[in-house]
Amino acid sequence: MNSLEIINLNVYYGNRHVIKGINLKIPQKVVFAIIGPSGSGKSTLLRAINRLIELDEDAKVEGDVRLFKKSIYEMDPREVRRRIGMVFQQPNPFPHMSIYDNVALGPRLNKLVRNKEELDYLVEWALKKAALWDEVKDRLGDLASKLSGGQQQRLCIARALALKPDVLLLDEPTSALDPVSTAKIENLLLELKKSYTVVIVTHRIQQAARIGDYTAFLLDGKLVEVGDTAQIFVNPKDRRTEAYITGRFG
Amino acid sequence: MIIRDKFKIALIPFSALVFGIFALILIIFFANSIQIFEKEGLAIYTTSRWLASEDPSLEFYGVLPAIYGSLYTSGIAILIALPLSVAYSVFVVDYAPRRIKEWLIIATDIMTGLPTIIYGIWGAFFLVPFVKKYLMEPLYENFSFIPLFSYPPSTGHSFLSGGILLGIMVTPFAAAIIREAYRTIPYTYREAVYALGATKYEATRVLIGYIKPAILAGLVLAFGRAIGETVAVSLVIGNTFNISPSLFAPGYTISSLIANQFGNAFIYEHMVSALFAAGLSLSFIGLAVNLLVFRMLRRWEHARS
């Protein structure tokens, strides 16, 4: 079964048509990479998948997104966002909160735990899943802003995982990080796909090649091509895909 | 290069003038206070007797009630300004339709610029009788066993009236700072909190936590305005030497004391000096508050970086 199904999705900002009739099926437990040049609508597409786009009053969405066959537009947006976690381009843990509180915030807001023990357990579990536990277990009370950029991004992953989502969306999660931190996150995502569906937007083509099971190429709000990552990179069907991955524009 | 240096040199006297004047103010206050310090020592700040006499040996001035009144009324003002300015900021930024938003911002900006005598007259003729009738009298009748409400509200001129009026006056100052801080929270934090499944209320609570330093800064500014406010307070506080826990009791503030007494202070031997010393205590309070807040902000900033 597909975990996500995007059906004839259109997104408008005022008069601007930014996502143009996209259809996509995203299987379970894979890393699904979305590539494309700046302004191609990658980030907008992600925000339509977890209904975060509704924060922008000017945005209008047509079409449907289904999470395990159920339309997300028939669900409470809060439930959609709980089940489809998101990690952003800039590491954005809440700087005024401790490491612990950052991870605990989601479970607290959604009342996922009944007591302190359960919360402690969940925080530890999420930090371990995000491969951050060993680095922070002795200073959970420190402010999140004391961590390095790479650690902050893994903290954001832990924060998203603590909600026990089905799907994890990542919007260029390594674009602000150094190569070592990037490698750590990429390895982490390969580990996470064993239990989650990971959808990653990236403008680094090599990143999609390294970790994507599937790759979709977006250009100017349209889906140009989607398929096995190997097929997309070795034998693209569309001239524009070939041009993009060989670096002729982008 | 040379031109820039010339420019720099030209700037020095101007900035020196600013600090020079500040130093001069402090010097004048210290110099004029010495007389009363020599006569009374610190008793000027720690006692409550205010005795003006044409016989200098009988003169005695203790401004503790005014210090108390200043802190009490400014404290009330801050307690009022905090919820009002935070609620205003959230409403203006998150909820108000675009056209109303502009008007709300303009309205508060006008409120900050209104001459304080306007507030004073409004307070004396409307606020005092209103608060007396709808707040003080019912509370006194039913809850007079609580010390806060224990004083019979005879005229309505009281700490409470002063505090409420100050709260109204300083809210726009606090609101402007808090509003700007709330408006400029990076969008990514808004997205982050909603992405965790927060409701609007929950998201607001988290984001308010993020601007805690700005809220504190806004309240400090408001406190400074409140404790320095003179005319408006003197019209509603009752101008009575009194240290009472009751909100309904009349009192004095340092500023209103100076304003009320300065006109005839020259008749007496020591009163002018006593009033200078009273004014000096305001600078001490201001300095103390600023140091305290500076340390808190530093700690937050330090923790943050």
Side-chain angles (χ1 to χ4, degrees):
Chain A
M1 185 162 70
N2 294 314
S3 60
L4 281 171
E5 216 171 319
I6 297 163
I7 300 160
N8 196 21
L9 191 76
N10 286 282
V11 177
Y12 305 84
Y13 284 119
N15 295 326
R16 270 187 322 124
H17 193 179
V18 285
I19 297 286
K20 298 167 183 166
I22 287 185
N23 288 285
L24 268 181
K25 287 182 177 148
I26 299 179
Q28 283 185 65
K29 299 186 181 172
V30 297
V31 172
F32 192 99
I34 300 172
I35 59 172
S38 303
S40 57
K42 308 184 296 292
S43 295
T44 305
L45 178 63
L46 278 196
R47 281 164 177 73
I49 294 174
N50 69 350
R51 295 185 66 175
L52 206 56
I53 197 165
E54 289 163 30
L55 292 187
D56 190 327
E57 288 167 11
D58 295 331
K60 199 173 96 200
V61 181
E62 286 169 1
D64 201 3
V65 177
R66 294 196 184 143
L67 177 64
F68 294 108
K69 303 211 158 155
K70 198 174 167 202
S71 168
I72 61 166
Y73 292 98
E74 287 161 14
M75 294 158 64
D76 181 343
R78 303 183 57 197
E79 197 202 337
V80 175
R81 290 167 196 158
R82 190 190 67 67
R83 293 181 57 189
I84 306 179
M86 183 143 181
V87 175
F88 300 85
Q89 186 169 3
Q90 286 290 331
N92 60 359
F94 296 108
H96 63 292
M97 289 185 181
S98 68
I99 294 167
Y100 181 98
D101 286 339
N102 264 282
V103 182
L105 182 61
R108 278 176 176 148
L109 292 177
N110 292 276
K111 300 179 183 62
L112 299 185
V113 290
R114 279 167 302 182
N115 53 45
K116 181 87 169 73
E117 284 87 64
E118 281 186 21
L119 186 60
D120 286 350
Y121 181 81
L122 183 54
V123 168
E124 182 177 339
W125 174 86
L127 285 168
K128 278 179 175 162
K129 272 272 181 197
L132 189 60
W133 174 252
D134 288 334
E135 291 160 56
V136 301
K137 65 182 175 207
D138 301 322
R139 48 182 185 133
L140 292 174
D142 281 10
L143 287 180
S145 41
K146 286 195 171 172
L147 298 174
S148 72
Q151 289 173 323
Q152 289 192 18
Q153 198 59 302
R154 276 179 284 147
L155 179 60
C156 291
I157 293 174
R159 183 173 68 182
L161 292 178
L163 287 169
K164 301 265 180 161
D166 302 314
V167 178
L168 194 59
L169 307 177
L170 302 106
D171 186 4
E172 302 193 12
T174 61
S175 66
L177 303 182
D178 62 81
V180 175
S181 303
T182 299
K184 275 188 189 166
I185 301 250
E186 288 181 359
N187 291 335
L188 172 60
L189 295 179
L190 291 175
E191 191 60 36
L192 288 175
K193 79 168 183 184
K194 291 174 186 166
S195 8
Y196 303 91
T197 303
V198 176
V199 181
I200 178 170
V201 156
T202 177
H203 69 280
R204 293 187 195 169
I205 298 158
Q206 297 84 353
Q207 187 165 54
R210 277 195 300 267
I211 63 171
D213 296 301
Y214 298 89
T215 297
F217 174 49
L218 253 59
L219 184 63
D220 195 23
K222 288 191 202 114
L223 178 67
V224 174
E225 188 167 356
V226 59
D228 271 15
T229 297
Q231 177 256 308
I232 291 274
F233 279 86
V234 177
N235 190 17
K237 293 195 179 98
D238 195 290
R239 266 187 315 107
R240 291 168 293 173
T241 314
E242 189 189 355
Y244 183 66
I245 60 178
T246 53
R248 265 180 271 155
F249 72 94
Chain B
M1 196 62 201
I2 295 164
I3 290 172
R4 208 178 68 190
D5 277 351
K6 269 187 187 164
F7 183 50
K8 188 172 100 182
I9 290 164
L11 287 175
I12 290 173
F14 292 101
S15 40
L17 190 66
V18 173
F19 287 103
I21 290 172
F22 178 55
L24 193 63
I25 291 172
L26 284 182
I27 289 167
I28 294 296
F29 266 81
F30 271 112
N32 281 290
S33 303
I34 289 172
Q35 183 191 346
I36 198 80
F37 286 141
E38 279 175 349
K39 182 175 181 295
E40 295 182 13
L42 282 178
I44 172 88
Y45 294 141
T46 57
T47 57
S48 308
R49 213 149 46 87
W50 182 269
L51 210 69
S53 168
E54 278 163 35
D55 177 357
S57 66
L58 291 179
E59 270 184 280
F60 190 87
Y61 303 105
V63 298
L64 186 62
I67 295 176
Y68 174 82
S70 281
L71 293 174
Y72 197 0
T73 51
S74 300
I76 297 170
I78 291 301
L79 289 181
I80 292 171
L82 173 65
L84 286 185
S85 52
V86 171
Y88 159 88
S89 303
V90 171
F91 179 75
V92 166
V93 174
D94 283 348
Y95 291 93
R98 226 160 270 175
R99 282 184 53 197
I100 297 175
K101 188 178 292 196
E102 293 298 316
W103 285 107
L104 279 170
I105 292 173
I106 291 170
T108 46
D109 284 351
I110 291 174
M111 282 180 80
T112 59
L114 226 49
T116 55
I117 187 70
I118 303 278
Y119 287 99
I121 292 172
W122 176 82
F125 283 88
F126 171 75
L127 185 71
V128 169
F130 184 85
V131 167
K132 177 174 177 255
K133 188 165 175 203
Y134 294 106
L135 207 57
M136 295 185 186
E137 282 171 355
L139 282 172
Y140 178 71
E141 273 160 32
N142 298 303
F143 299 105
S144 61
F145 56 90
I146 301 171
L148 269 182
F149 309 138
S150 60
Y151 194 94
S154 49
T155 63
H157 291 82
S158 58
F159 292 120
L160 182 65
S161 301
I164 291 177
L165 185 63
L166 282 174
I168 293 168
M169 291 173 70
V170 301
T171 293
F173 289 93
I177 287 183
I178 296 170
R179 181 191 70 214
E180 281 315 294
Y182 190 68
R183 196 175 62 78
T184 52
I185 292 174
Y187 189 65
T188 183
Y189 293 121
R190 287 179 188 271
E191 286 197 313
V193 66
Y194 282 106
L196 293 173
T199 60
K200 243 182 163 178
Y201 168 70
E202 290 164 343
T204 304
R205 254 185 31 203
V206 171
L207 297 175
I208 290 289
Y210 178 79
I211 58 160
K212 212 165 51 175
I215 293 177
L216 187 70
L219 291 181
V220 170
L221 178 73
F223 185 83
R225 302 285 314 183
I227 209 156
E229 176 45 41
T230 309
V231 183
V233 181
S234 69
L235 289 177
V236 300
I237 194 156
N239 300 322
T240 310
F241 283 93
N242 185 17
I243 296 181
S244 163
S246 174
L247 288 165
F248 307 155
Y252 238 140
T253 66
I254 298 276
S255 311
S256 60
L257 170 71
I258 296 173
N260 272 306
Q261 301 289 341
F262 221 93
N264 57 2
F266 297 93
I267 303 167
Y268 307 100
E269 178 82 28
H270 298 298
M271 198 193 275
V272 173
S273 178
L275 292 176
F276 268 108
L280 202 57
S281 74
L282 274 189
S283 347
F284 291 143
I285 293 171
L287 195 68
V289 168
N290 273 299
L291 281 178
L292 187 77
V293 168
F294 185 67
R295 273 187 50 184
M296 285 174 80
L297 289 176
R298 272 286 292 275
R299 208 166 53 209
W300 283 341
E301 280 305 312
H302 186 69
R304 202 176 268 210
S305 55

